[in-house]
Every structure is written in structure tokens, then in C-alpha cells.
């Protein structure tokens, strides 16, 4: 199966976004807090949450 260049570029952009979000989640986490960083994968979105007030949701 072949995909168009636009589909491949959109997939690459999505993977870059997910990678950057995961790196930021791990790099900026407070590992001395009782709570821990969480990644939840749902059928229609992915949720990244760290302790504190920062929260990012990626919705398709």
C-alpha cells in the first residue's frame, strides 16, 4: 500500500509532536512529588499529564 506525500508528512508531523510532548513530560516532571507523569491512550485521543497545572491533550 502506498501513501501520498501529504499523508506521510502529516504522519511524520504527528510523530514529531508526540515525541516532543513525551520528552517534555519526562524532562519537566517533578520526580519528588507523590504523583507521577501519566500517559493515557484512548481510541480518539492521547492524554499527557504531569504533576502541577500543566496538561496537554492531543485530540484527533
Amino acid at each position: 500500500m502506498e501513501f501520498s506525500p501529504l499523508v506521510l508528512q502529516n504522519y511524520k508531523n504527528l510523530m514529531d509532536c508526540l515525541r516532543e510532548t513525551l520528552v517534555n513530560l519526562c524532562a519537566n516532571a517533578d520526580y519528588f512529588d507523590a504523583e507521577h507523569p501519566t500517559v493515557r491512550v484512548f481510541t480518539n485521543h492521547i492524554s499527557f499529564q504531569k504533576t502541577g497545572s500543566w496538561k496537554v491533550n492531543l485530540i484527533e
Side-chain angles (χ1 to χ4, degrees), residues 17-54:
C17 179
L18 290 173
R19 184 180 313 111
E20 181 70 20
T21 304
L22 186 57
V23 167
N24 285 337
L25 178 73
C26 294
N28 296 312
D30 181 2
Y31 292 102
F32 295 103
D33 197 325
E35 295 184 29
H36 55 277
T38 305
V39 177
R40 293 187 176 121
V41 180
F42 299 93
T43 56
N44 62 347
H45 72 279
I46 301 172
S47 175
F48 298 87
Q49 183 177 359
K50 72 176 192 79
T51 58
S53 61
W54 181 76

Side-chain angles (χ1 to χ4, degrees), residues 3-10:
F3 295 101
S4 73
L6 182 60
V7 169
L8 292 175
Q9 184 61 42
N10 285 341

